Amino acid sequence: QKEVEQNSGPLSVPEGAIASLNCTYSDRGSQSFFWYRQYSGKSPELIMSIYSNGDKEDGRFTAQLNKASQYVSLLIRDSQPSDSATYLCAVNPSYGKLTFGQGTILTVHP
Amino acid sequence: DTGVSQDPRHKITKRGQNVTFRCDPISEHNRLYWYRQTLGQGPEFLTYFQNEAQLEKSRLLSDRFSAERPKGSFSTLEIQRTEQGDSAMYLCASSSDGDQPQHFGDGTRLSIL
């Protein structure tokens, strides 16, 4: 079992729709969780961080965390073509290194 | 806040040569991390520093790899006797503390001929 697994892509949604990205992790002691966006050929850019169970909203983005189920998700509302990128789920199991999933490629088509 | 800076952006070298990359973290951040990313994969952890102390090294970091952060500010990552498999994007990130978000630089893309 991989330490961090993301839903297999690529994911394609129409402009204006909600994109749902999912991630599960294996280390039950993990305390901090992050979503990064990465455009082709660029470095990861932080979108959201979440530390407590429940939802955290920032603009069009909502992160959801369920530690009991070891599950993190990212919802993107009103998806735009500029949201087309690879989304990386990252888990911090020990207040140090990040462990990343393999990424989910999102395409938003007009 | 000028962000994390990495140099060079691209490095092309022949197999067997040594290469060194530099990372300047966000000024107030005491943690500095190195990751490696290959096409289609998420970044893989290599090593990290808190101030000048190297606190953890991945088993990916063979004896050909060495990293330093001598004064707790910038860091260097050196790869000796490069191999084809070293071709990747080398990413540096910094954070203010262990559970705080890590912010990445633009990376150094290494190509081994």
Side-chain angles (χ1 to χ4, degrees):
Chain A
Q1 179 188 6
K2 292 182 180 179
E3 293 182 70
V4 179
E5 289 202 60
Q6 297 186 233
N7 50 325
S8 59
L11 177 65
S12 181
V13 300
E15 184 174 356
I18 295 175
S20 177
L21 304 159
N22 303 315
C23 173
T24 58
Y25 60 94
S26 61
D27 189 327
R28 188 171 287 277
S30 300
Q31 296 296 326
S32 49
F33 308 85
F34 307 92
W35 283 98
Y36 287 84
R37 177 176 62 198
Q38 187 172 29
Y39 293 113
S40 181
K42 302 297 185 182
S43 64
E45 172 192 9
L46 179 71
I47 297 176
M48 294 284 285
S49 58
I50 187 165
Y51 300 88
S52 304
N53 282 330
D55 296 358
K56 179 181 178 182
E57 186 175 319
D58 184 0
R60 296 185 297 110
F61 299 97
T62 298
Q64 299 173 318
L65 173 61
N66 183 328
K67 291 184 180 179
S69 301
Q70 297 173 246
Y71 175 87
V72 192
S73 68
L74 180 70
L75 298 178
I76 307 175
R77 291 183 300 281
D78 188 24
S79 295
Q80 301 297 309
S82 59
D83 294 326
S84 298
T86 297
Y87 288 80
L88 296 163
C89 172
V91 176
N92 189 335
S94 58
Y95 296 102
K97 67 182 181 185
L98 292 177
T99 302
F100 285 84
Q102 77 278 21
T104 300
I105 298 173
L106 171 67
T107 301
V108 181
H109 53 87
Chain B
D1 180 356
T2 57
V4 178
S5 177
Q6 292 189 245
D7 183 70
R9 293 290 307 279
H10 304 275
K11 180 69 176 179
I12 301 173
T13 191
K14 293 182 180 179
R15 183 167 52 94
Q17 297 296 303
N18 299 343
V19 294
T20 300
F21 311 140
R22 175 178 170 128
C23 172
D24 288 86
I26 294 171
S27 58
E28 64 268 26
H29 286 180
N30 58 27
R31 288 215 174 192
L32 186 149
Y33 306 81
W34 286 99
Y35 294 86
R36 180 173 67 187
Q37 186 176 26
T38 53
L39 196 63
Q41 301 298 316
E44 293 178 296
F45 169 76
L46 293 178
T47 188
Y48 84 91
F49 294 84
Q50 177 156 321
N51 299 313
E52 65 274 12
Q54 189 173 19
L55 296 188
E56 187 174 350
K57 293 169 59 174
S58 165
R59 56 182 170 79
L60 292 176
L61 215 67
S62 75
D63 56 3
R64 297 185 298 107
F65 288 70
S66 63
E68 294 183 339
R69 194 182 183 197
K71 297 182 179 179
S73 56
F74 73 91
S75 175
T76 58
L77 177 68
E78 181 183 17
I79 309 174
Q80 296 182 327
R81 305 181 303 281
T82 53
E83 300 174 355
Q84 291 283 354
D86 297 332
S87 294
M89 173 79 87
Y90 288 83
L91 294 163
C92 177
S94 70
S95 70
S96 58
D97 201 349
D99 63 345
Q100 294 302 302
Q102 296 178 20
H103 298 272
F104 284 83
D106 289 336
T108 294
R109 184 169 297 283
L110 175 64
S111 297
I112 308 297
L113 300 177

